[in-house]
Amino acid sequence: MQEDGLKGLMGVRVSDVSASLTGDEAVPAVDTSVGEVVGSYRLEKLLGEGAMGKVFLGRHVRLNRAVALKVLHDRHIRDQSLVQRFLQEARTVNEINHHHIVEVHDFIEELIPERVYCVMELLEGETLAGRLARGGLTLATTKRICRQMASALGAAHQVGVVHRDVKPDNVFLAKRGEETEYVKVLDFGVAKLLAAQDASTWDSEHGFIIGTPRYMAPEQAAGLEVDHRADIYALGTILYEMLAGRTPFEATTFERLSADIVSRPPPPLPEKTPAGEPIPEALRELTLACLAKNPDERPASMGEVLSRLGISSDSLAQELNPPKAGRGLLLAALAVLVLGLGLGLFALTRPEPASVAPVVVQVPGPAVAVPAQLPEHVSIALTTSPAGATVRRDDTGEVLGKTPVTLKLNRAAEPLLLRFELPDFEALKKSVPLDGNGAFEVTLKRRTKAKVVRDGVLDPFAD
């Protein structure tokens, strides 16, 4: 991993926190350096350093396996809120478990010497920030990078996590086989559960704004509560930068930048990219839709972004809910007994294809087509804007979960009518087909309160 690619692994930018010993028995923390053996890993090279810690190239002393070790600064170890944020990143990444998000293999707290670190996959390549600095992105590359980012962030949103600091420094373009721009989203250290009570962009304990100013959504720059649509805005800002060669808003002070983000419309995109390619109208419209000031006017989900990027509905559920790492593909054996020959024919079926191909069995006389067996269940991914809606069966009233949620339902020829309910929003019904996997987004409309007039005067306090 190149040094310019490690900025995104550093975690949240915070002011230094002084570490004071609380008793005579406290063990001094150690400032880790190259050459030391940390756990089972020898530190071979310092790859980068930030406010929260250092990232080293580490190598397992017995297995010779190269990894990235992210070590928390010794001055932060006794600040439990920062240690928990450090641990939160490891938990969050493993909760999402997506191939376009950097893998965290282990999280370790040592007592003697006192040290906190996590073991991560080692990436070779550069950050998107470094790639943008060199310029010359083609439209095909821009769309491919954007699709992979949307896939990773959409998977995070599906399990209730919003990143809150999406920026080119946190998007790594790794070398993977012959591919040189395989996206890995980094730094979930400031990520928040969408359902958490504290989803604001202001860290009251340490006194700083969470996120990077140029990529903040208007509600984020204003210090208001944020949800997954802040990530959609940040993705739109990066897409704008890839198409125009600059971000939509740039200023010398945070105050001026925040004011522009909150109040000014983004400048129109140029006719052509920096590489000289005409920008398609559909891509132009998607970019500006992601940059809408009002979160309700942005795409409702990353699934919608993927759809507008040209991802078919058949593969959308696979993009947002890929097979979990290490589990492999589930294989089923199809046995067909050929009568009269006494022979057994066994075929392995793959996960459900877009169309069911027949299995042709050779027997004396004409060929006989035997349909492949369809899976018994289908996977239905449901998201709403805003998130947190209760999903019910309309026929029985049974609660199936809260959005974002992926339901495993029995395959059926008839669609299922679902009802989406959220306080202060109008209930909405949607018919969902059950003949195959799918992903669906629903935008809920805020309920308007009836005006109450008493004695000819509007009562502003009436419910």
Side-chain angles (χ1 to χ4, degrees):
M1 182 184 287
Q2 297 179 355
E3 293 184 13
D4 72 340
L6 269 294
K7 295 178 183 178
L9 291 176
M10 295 299 102
V12 65
R13 276 44 174 171
V14 298
S15 57
D16 292 349
V17 180
S18 60
S20 58
L21 300 181
T22 57
D24 295 336
E25 298 179 357
V27 179
V30 176
D31 191 9
T32 309
S33 58
V34 172
E36 292 186 50
V37 174
V38 176
S40 300
Y41 300 90
R42 184 178 301 279
L43 305 183
E44 295 187 348
K45 182 180 179 182
L46 177 64
L47 297 176
E49 183 172 0
M52 272 197 75
K54 299 177 181 179
V55 176
F56 295 89
L57 166 62
R59 191 171 300 276
H60 198 286
V61 294
R62 294 178 180 174
L63 303 179
N64 201 35
R65 178 189 184 189
V67 297
L69 257 75
K70 184 175 179 180
V71 184
L72 189 66
H73 278 315
D74 62 302
R75 61 181 178 269
H76 295 331
I77 289 176
R78 293 178 187 86
D79 187 327
Q80 281 303 306
S81 65
L82 291 181
V83 173
Q84 287 304 310
R85 178 168 286 160
F86 200 62
L87 173 59
Q88 173 190 306
E89 178 176 8
R91 286 174 172 166
T92 300
V93 166
N94 282 283
E95 172 78 11
I96 303 167
N97 196 11
H98 192 273
H99 52 272
H100 284 304
I101 294 176
V102 65
E103 294 179 29
V104 177
H105 302 309
D106 203 354
F107 178 88
I108 300 169
E109 291 183 86
E110 293 182 347
L111 298 179
I112 303 177
E114 192 171 12
R115 192 153 40 199
V116 178
Y117 61 95
C118 62
V119 183
M120 310 172 74
E121 67 173 317
L122 183 67
L123 302 176
E124 181 185 0
E126 64 179 336
T127 62
L128 178 57
R131 180 66 184 87
L132 285 170
R134 294 193 286 111
L137 284 177
T138 65
L139 277 174
T141 299
T142 294
K143 292 180 68 174
R144 185 166 62 252
I145 291 173
C146 188
R147 177 186 64 78
Q148 294 177 82
M149 290 173 57
S151 177
L153 294 168
H157 298 166
Q158 291 277 29
V159 298
V161 172
V162 57
H163 189 289
R164 298 201 302 170
D165 195 18
V166 180
K167 58 184 177 182
D169 274 327
N170 283 341
V171 178
F172 198 87
L173 306 181
K175 294 180 181 178
R176 183 162 174 158
E178 297 182 357
E179 189 172 358
T180 59
E181 290 163 341
Y182 189 88
V183 167
K184 287 282 188 174
V185 178
L186 312 175
D187 201 353
F188 278 80
V190 298
K192 278 282 188 181
L193 291 176
L194 291 172
Q197 294 297 318
D198 177 17
S200 74
T201 190
W202 176 258
D203 188 313
S204 57
E205 182 173 356
H206 296 99
F208 62 90
I209 290 286
I210 295 173
T212 302
R214 283 193 298 167
Y215 303 92
M216 284 184 177
E219 62 272 23
Q220 199 171 4
L224 304 176
E225 290 187 358
V226 301
D227 59 18
H228 67 286
R229 293 170 295 181
D231 287 349
I232 293 175
Y233 184 96
L235 179 68
T237 303
I238 294 175
L239 181 55
Y240 187 107
E241 187 174 7
M242 289 192 286
L243 294 173
R246 57 179 174 80
T247 53
F249 302 106
E250 298 180 350
T252 57
T253 66
F254 175 75
E255 291 76 11
R256 177 60 184 273
L257 181 62
S258 298
D260 288 347
I261 290 173
V262 170
S263 61
R264 283 183 53 204
L269 282 163
E271 293 298 319
K272 296 182 178 180
T273 68
E277 294 180 276
I279 300 176
E281 187 60 30
L283 196 55
R284 187 186 304 272
E285 291 177 356
L286 172 60
T287 304
L288 296 179
C290 291
L291 293 175
K293 303 295 183 190
N294 186 345
D296 293 337
E297 296 175 1
R298 297 172 203 154
S301 68
M302 286 298 178
E304 182 179 337
V305 173
L306 286 167
S307 178
R308 294 177 67 167
L309 283 170
I311 305 300
S312 66
S313 58
D314 291 336
S315 60
L316 186 57
Q318 182 71 8
E319 285 282 348
L320 298 179
N321 301 280
K324 298 301 183 183
R327 296 182 184 175
L329 298 178
L330 296 178
L331 302 178
L334 174 65
V336 181
L337 178 62
V338 183
L339 297 176
L341 296 179
L343 300 176
L345 178 64
F346 298 88
L348 293 178
T349 63
R350 292 177 294 181
E352 178 191 352
S355 58
V356 180
V359 178
V360 179
V361 182
Q362 298 295 332
V363 296
V368 179
V370 181
Q373 181 67 41
L374 289 172
E376 180 182 355
H377 299 97
V378 295
S379 177
I380 305 297
L382 301 172
T383 57
T384 59
S385 176
T390 300
V391 183
R392 296 179 183 272
R393 290 183 60 120
D394 189 62
D395 54 353
T396 65
E398 176 189 359
V399 175
L400 302 180
K402 288 193 175 184
T403 60
V405 65
T406 300
L407 304 177
K408 185 178 181 182
L409 301 171
N410 292 330
R411 182 182 296 274
E414 297 296 324
L416 177 65
L417 187 60
L418 299 178
R419 181 181 177 89
F420 298 83
E421 301 173 343
L422 187 66
D424 299 326
F425 288 81
E426 296 180 4
L428 186 145
K429 296 182 181 181
K430 184 174 182 63
S431 181
V432 175
L434 299 180
D435 55 353
N437 296 339
F440 304 90
E441 302 88 34
V442 173
T443 301
L444 301 177
K445 184 178 180 182
R446 187 174 292 276
R447 185 183 297 115
T448 57
K449 294 183 178 180
K451 296 181 179 180
V452 177
V453 177
R454 293 188 176 95
D455 299 327
V457 178
L458 179 65
D459 185 353
F461 302 105
D463 294 330

